[in-house]
């Protein structure tokens, strides 16, 4: 898609709200605006019914039941509730080890540091290979040491698109008596997640990664796990006491509608179409003579919309600046409080700091066209030419 003439290739950062989703949300901003917790009148009842429908839609996306959905402000809050919410249970159970992969989302890694610093838990890293895949043998060995409370692994990496074998990872964790948390924010647009709760105890989701509105997400928590969680937000005791606060009716409706659109054969057809645009983009870059290296897994094991590319000798910041306002993409670097730093994901799979600084994530989505993929590749090739004066161009 184009936004004001800019080709948008940053769908893994956020997706545009699907028009079909916005249509479902619109009424809740006007006349269907009730507080779903107002239990004494019909307007509140209707709002509660809409929330129940949304919970069912979100639950169905991952094979859960509606009462296992805890709406949050997004996947970051869901990740925090999943990890920090288990701190008290760690004390009670005597299981004091937490295992996180080296390429988790920063919200998971930050929550892990809090568990270690404030609660004295043993938080250890599970290594990954150069493709970003979790070393399952290393994970099994760490689990066999005993005392593991929780394993937390991204289903699909947000930077390099690696798709993990969450069924095998969940089985390893379960066999060792550990809980398995899966940050699945990027997963629904990449793979079929219809049976994900069969392999996980806790699942984090985000609406704005699946063409729903920003500001809403969910932690899917098995019924048997919910009593183990200590809430982070206190108040009126909503959502089984696990997350107090008035639920944002329009956002919940939008989240549910977005989740429903990712069910069925049409979702697989969409992934195939997005993959074709991604592949066309890379093929065109190569045909234009750009020397690029894909960071992470092969395309068969990667998010269909993800192309994380290393262009040696070209700083990502310089290339992205040269592409404005033609193209929107993002560097492989994370930015915290405005301070750039090398991507921990790219460093974990073996890239040097300089290589990480020369890497860009192009991410394709539902509204990307083949023509835009071609146009974007040619724009990147032209920008590389301008920056390097042709010194790094080569015919492959």
């Amino acid at each position: 898609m184009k936004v004001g003439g800019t080709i948008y290739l940053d769908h893994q950062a956020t997706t545009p709200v699907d028009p079909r989703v916005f249509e479902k949300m619109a009424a809740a901003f006007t006349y269907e605006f009730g507080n779903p917790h107002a239990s004494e009148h019909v307007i509140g009842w209707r709002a509660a019914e809409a929330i129940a429908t949304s919970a069912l839609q979100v639950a169905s996306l991952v094979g859960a039941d509606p009462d296992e959905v805890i709406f949050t402000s997004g996947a970051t809050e869901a990740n925090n509730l999943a990890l920090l919410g288990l701190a008290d249970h760690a004390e009670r159970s005597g299981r004091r080890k937490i295992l996180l992969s080296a390429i988790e989302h920063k919200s998971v890694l930050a929550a892990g540091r809090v568990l270690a610093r404030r609660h004295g838990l043993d938080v250890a890293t599970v290594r990954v290979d150069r493709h970003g895949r979790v070393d399952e043998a290393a994970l099994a060995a760490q689990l066999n040491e005993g005392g593991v409370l929780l394993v937390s692994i991204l289903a699909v990496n947000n930077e390099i698109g690696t798709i993990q074998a969450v069924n095998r990872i969940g089985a390893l964790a379960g066999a060792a008596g550990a809980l398995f948390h899966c940050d699945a924010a990027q997963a629904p647009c990449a793979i079929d997640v219809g049976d994900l709760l069969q392999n996980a105890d806790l699942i984090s989701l985000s609406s704005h990664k699946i063409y729903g509105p920003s500001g809403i997400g969910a932690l899917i928590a098995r019924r048997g796990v919910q009593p183990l969680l200590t809430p982070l937000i206190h108040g009126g005791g909503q959502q089984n006491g696990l997350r107090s606060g008035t639920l944002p009716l329009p956002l919940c409706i939008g989240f549910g509608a977005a989740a429903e659109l990712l069910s069925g054969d049409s979702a697989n057809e969409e992934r195939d179409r997005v993959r074709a645009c991604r592949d066309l983009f890379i093929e065109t870059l190569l045909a234009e003579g750009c020397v690029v290296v894909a960071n992470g897994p092969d395309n068969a094991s990667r998010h269909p919309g993800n192309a994380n590319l290393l262009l040696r000798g070209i700083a990502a910041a310089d290339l992205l600046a040269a592409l404005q306002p033609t193209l929107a993409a993002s560097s492989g670097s994370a930015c915290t409080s405005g301070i750039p730093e090398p991507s921990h994901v790219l460093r974990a799979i073996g890239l040097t700091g300089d290589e990480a600084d020369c890497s860009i994530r192009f991410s394709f989505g539902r509204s990307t066209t083949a023509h835009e993929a071609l146009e974007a590749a040619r724009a990147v090739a032209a920008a590389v030419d301008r920056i390097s004066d042709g010194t790094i161009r080569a015919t492959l």
Side-chain angles (χ1 to χ4, degrees):
M1 68 178 294
K2 284 190 176 182
V3 182
T6 301
I7 301 171
Y8 186 71
L9 295 185
D10 203 16
H11 288 81
Q12 285 190 271
T14 194
T15 53
V17 175
D18 189 290
R20 294 167 291 182
V21 170
F22 184 76
E23 183 180 356
K24 295 288 181 66
M25 296 172 61
F29 284 111
T30 53
Y31 58 90
E32 294 286 353
F33 57 84
N35 186 323
H37 311 296
S39 60
E40 296 177 322
H41 54 71
V42 68
I43 303 299
W45 300 340
R46 289 174 185 163
E49 289 173 3
I51 292 291
T53 298
S54 299
L56 176 61
Q57 291 167 323
V58 172
S60 297
L61 181 64
V62 294
D65 291 327
D67 65 336
E68 295 176 308
V69 175
I70 305 164
F71 286 111
T72 65
S73 62
T76 289
E77 184 190 336
N79 288 339
N80 274 263
L81 178 56
L83 273 71
L84 301 181
L86 287 171
D88 290 342
H89 179 64
E91 298 290 340
R92 296 190 297 266
S93 68
R95 287 178 172 264
R96 301 183 59 80
K97 292 183 182 179
I98 308 291
L99 301 180
L100 315 174
S101 89
I103 60 171
E104 290 304 296
H105 189 272
K106 281 203 163 185
S107 60
V108 168
L109 298 177
R113 289 193 292 271
V114 172
L115 288 174
R117 184 174 66 251
R118 295 186 186 173
H119 301 279
L121 300 190
D122 178 6
V123 180
T125 299
V126 182
R127 65 173 179 257
V128 297
D129 64 18
R130 64 187 181 88
H131 303 293
R133 298 190 189 95
V134 167
D135 185 330
E136 294 177 34
L139 172 61
Q142 289 171 287
L143 286 165
N144 287 338
E145 293 173 0
V148 177
L149 173 65
L150 179 73
V151 177
S152 183
I153 303 292
L154 266 168
V156 178
N157 187 264
N158 56 304
E159 288 193 34
I160 58 175
T162 304
I163 299 171
Q164 303 290 353
V166 291
N167 55 339
R168 294 200 301 268
I169 292 170
L172 286 171
L179 298 172
F180 178 39
H181 166 243
C182 186
D183 179 347
Q186 300 284 346
C189 288
I191 56 176
D192 183 353
V193 293
D195 62 352
L196 189 55
L197 198 66
Q198 293 182 20
N199 305 306
D201 301 287
L202 297 156
I203 299 169
S204 297
L205 295 171
S206 177
S207 168
H208 78 103
K209 306 296 188 184
I210 62 169
Y211 305 93
S214 297
I216 186 74
L219 177 66
I220 313 300
R222 287 182 183 272
R223 282 188 211 87
V225 174
Q226 290 186 23
L228 309 182
L229 294 171
T230 299
L232 305 183
I233 297 176
H234 302 273
Q238 291 91 343
Q239 301 199 84
N240 297 331
L242 289 172
R243 205 272 191 178
S244 293
T246 301
L247 287 172
L249 180 62
L251 302 186
C252 290
I253 289 172
F255 187 13
E260 190 171 51
L261 289 176
L262 281 167
S263 302
D265 293 338
S266 61
N268 288 326
E269 292 168 3
E270 177 179 300
R271 294 178 192 115
D272 290 341
R273 195 192 60 75
V274 170
R275 182 181 294 107
C277 286
R278 187 268 314 276
D279 292 349
L280 177 62
F281 172 78
I282 296 174
E283 291 163 5
T284 305
L285 278 179
L286 296 174
E288 289 285 320
C290 278
V291 180
V292 297
V293 177
N295 298 319
D298 57 45
N299 285 348
S301 304
R302 181 190 292 266
H303 187 302
N306 176 276
N308 192 304
L309 303 178
L310 166 62
L311 295 96
R312 297 186 190 279
I314 300 292
D318 292 343
L319 181 54
L320 289 171
L323 286 167
Q324 299 313 302
T326 304
L327 175 64
S330 54
S331 78
S333 298
C335 190
T336 304
S337 301
I339 302 172
E341 57 188 24
S343 161
H344 70 283
V345 173
L346 297 181
R347 295 303 302 273
I349 64 171
L351 271 67
T352 67
D354 287 343
E355 289 172 330
D357 288 341
C358 293
S359 297
I360 295 178
R361 182 190 66 186
F362 302 93
S363 47
F364 302 75
R366 177 175 292 170
S367 55
T368 307
T369 67
H371 176 75
E372 289 165 354
L374 283 168
E375 186 179 349
R378 289 165 181 160
V380 171
V384 168
D385 254 349
R386 294 197 301 273
I387 293 170
S388 64
D389 293 326
T391 57
I392 69 163
R393 297 293 297 278
T395 300
L396 300 184

